[in-house]
Amino acid sequence: MTMSDTVDSSPTSLDQHRGGASAGAQEFLLRRHLGFWSLTAIGFSNIVGSGWLFAAMYSAKIAGPASLLSWIGAGLLCALVAMVMVELGVTRPEDGGTVRWPLYASGRLVGSLVGWSTLLSVGGTAAEISAILGYGAHYLPWLYSGDRLTVPGVAVGMLFAALLTSVNWFAVKVFARFNNLITVVKVAVPIVTVILLLISGFHSGRMTSHGGFAPYGYTACFTALATGGIVYSVNGFQAAVDFSGEAKDPRRTIPAAVIAAIVLAVGLYAALQLTFLFTVPDSFLGHGWSGVNFTSPFGQLALVMNLQWVSMLLYADAVLSPGASANVGVGLNARHTYALGKSGILPRFFMAVHAKSGIPRRALVLNLGIIVLFLLPFGGWQGIVAVMGDMYLITYLTSAVAAAIFRRTDNNMVPAWSRGMPWIAPASFVAAGEFVYWSGWDQLRLVIPLILIGVAVFAIMSRGRSLRAELLKGSWLVTYLVALLILSRLGSFGGTSALPAPLDSCLVAALSLAIFRWALRSGIAHVRTAPADECGIC
């Protein structure tokens, strides 16, 4: 009898078996201090960051008034993915679970690719810092040159990143109380903005004037999802799930917190989009919606309408709102990096939890370096979020597969949160795949090669494991990403249009369903045949 035949298959025991007692000991140091309100505030604060300051303008530039449909689509994706994430968080609560569940369900290659994408997505915090400095350039114009940070601007951004890291250096209870207070302000300022701008500068007929409801075609709605910053903006609701290892009564608090955060945030974003569409003066629309260009959209609109005090409030909140979102992002990403070290995808050095504070401090330091690296080449909000949106969607794809696999294989699973998971999981997978594809060739030609570098990272970190067997288990994800890249090149979203719309999107949907079935079969075989220290479930 081997050791894997006798070891307890709970995640903590499995980590002890893989790396000695240290993994379980580190997890024990995490504190379960987060209740419903703290988890809701974490989710809401992570969703409503810099997106509310910029996404309404960028999506309107891309799709015009039809950008409202993009927000509806993003809300539907949120609903599908949220049901998947809630089921996983309720049945398998674990800090950094979004990078652990794909590993358990699909093997080490998929886990490594998700881990690599998650590590790169740490750069999303750089977008929040970029947004802060973008509004700060109103007072300090030397921070920006055009739509990019200057060298001094990057230096100031690095200082912001260091400050956020220091805030997260202490106990999670301190972090949660700080975030709860800021969230109240983050709700109040956008609501005041919506009301006062609509009262002061409402222009009727905007849904049909200046080129009509869809001046650039309905396909532009899909492009706006990623390149307009919409997917990036609504992403973040899973933050409560990733803190499930520190939640009180996760089976009760996590579903309620995730749903509350989504409803509040998506409703707020839709109101902001309507406000932008109805209040931009006609003088700014001489070249249509694509010609609208504000460096700080709502702040400048307030100035145009002689609402100086509202403008001052917005410029102040432009520091507070993205800063609070970035603060949650730094804490959340530290849990991801901790989970990657726990899984062996990163060196276990980064798994260490500081005994007194209960914080994975080494993970915080690593993430600080990644944030700085993303500030350097992109240097602008839209450039960063266009990449980050697709990085997040890879996690959604693999989580949908994991939820379906666990439903089929885990005999010890507690009662499932949603009875519709057999159709919700594939629907979520297809929706996420379409959103990746709709981001367009210009983004995917950068994003997918970056993600596939994770295959080389996996090979380096394998250290004697059966590389061929693991490549076979996870080949569905590599195949899917390569196929999406090829279809993007041939399709109508920035490609050659050899595959015209909507044929290209239909092909992506068919491909996604086929890949989902392949991933499901591969994962079930992995879970049923792999030793306990590789699958993490009974």
Side-chain angles (χ1 to χ4, degrees), residues 489-515:
R489 178 58 180 156
L490 298 175
S492 61
F493 292 85
T496 63
S497 293
L499 295 171
L503 175 62
D504 53 349
S505 295
C506 293
L507 287 175
V508 170
L511 170 70
S512 299
L513 285 174
I515 293 291

Side-chain angles (χ1 to χ4, degrees), residues 253 290 357:
T253 56
S290 63
S357 65

Side-chain angles (χ1 to χ4, degrees), residues 76-364:
L76 292 174
L77 175 67
C78 278
L80 283 171
V81 176
M83 286 187 279
V84 170
M85 293 293 187
V86 166
E87 164 135 336
L88 291 169
V90 167
T91 58
R92 308 176 69 85
E94 184 172 4
D95 258 30
T98 52
V99 300
R100 295 279 281 177
W101 300 317
L103 171 69
Y104 294 149
S106 300
R108 299 197 66 81
L109 175 58
V110 172
S112 295
L113 285 173
V114 172
W116 174 249
S117 299
T118 303
L119 195 62
L120 292 176
S121 72
V122 170
T125 303
E128 305 303 311
I129 294 171
S130 176
I132 293 169
L133 300 183
Y135 269 72
H138 177 74
Y139 301 103
L140 303 171
W142 50 267
L143 291 172
Y144 259 83
S145 176
D147 60 353
R148 293 183 61 83
L149 287 169
T150 61
V151 173
V154 171
V156 174
M158 292 178 182
L159 291 176
F160 262 108
L163 176 63
L164 292 170
T165 300
S166 67
V167 171
N168 279 271
W169 199 254
F170 303 101
V172 69
K173 186 180 289 187
V174 175
F175 157 81
R177 288 175 177 171
F178 176 74
N179 184 66
N180 291 348
L181 178 63
I182 291 179
T183 300
V184 174
V185 180
K186 288 183 67 171
V187 173
V189 173
I191 290 175
V192 169
T193 300
V194 167
I195 294 171
L196 293 180
L197 288 182
L198 287 175
I199 291 174
S200 302
F202 182 85
H203 299 274
S204 62
R206 280 298 174 76
M207 294 295 103
T208 54
S209 61
H210 302 287
F213 182 71
Y216 312 113
Y218 285 96
T219 57
C221 301
F222 303 134
T223 303
L225 286 165
T227 58
I230 292 177
V231 168
Y232 173 83
S233 297
V234 300
N235 179 71
F237 58 86
Q238 77 279 9
V241 177
D242 273 313
F243 277 89
S244 60
E246 295 163 85
K248 302 174 184 176
D249 190 9
R251 291 183 61 187
R252 181 181 62 84
T253 56
I254 289 176
V258 170
I259 292 170
I262 290 173
V263 171
L264 288 171
V266 174
L268 179 61
Y269 275 124
L272 287 163
Q273 184 69 64
L274 280 169
T275 300
F276 186 84
L277 292 170
F278 278 110
T279 57
V280 173
D282 287 319
S283 59
F284 287 81
L285 294 169
H287 298 286
W289 289 103
S290 63
V292 176
N293 191 27
F294 296 108
T295 55
S296 48
F298 288 108
Q300 288 175 275
L301 275 177
L303 286 176
V304 168
M305 297 175 191
N306 294 317
L307 297 172
Q308 282 84 1
W309 73 270
V310 176
S311 179
M312 292 177 62
L313 180 65
L314 284 166
Y315 281 106
D317 189 65
V319 174
L320 182 65
S321 189
S325 185
N327 180 52
V328 172
V330 168
L332 175 64
N333 290 328
R335 274 70 181 175
H336 287 159
T337 304
Y338 154 82
L340 293 175
K342 186 178 174 184
S343 302
I345 295 170
L346 285 177
R348 287 184 174 269
F349 173 84
F350 296 108
M351 179 186 66
V353 177
H354 183 255
K356 186 175 181 180
S357 65
I359 299 295
R361 288 182 170 177
R362 293 175 183 174
L364 280 172

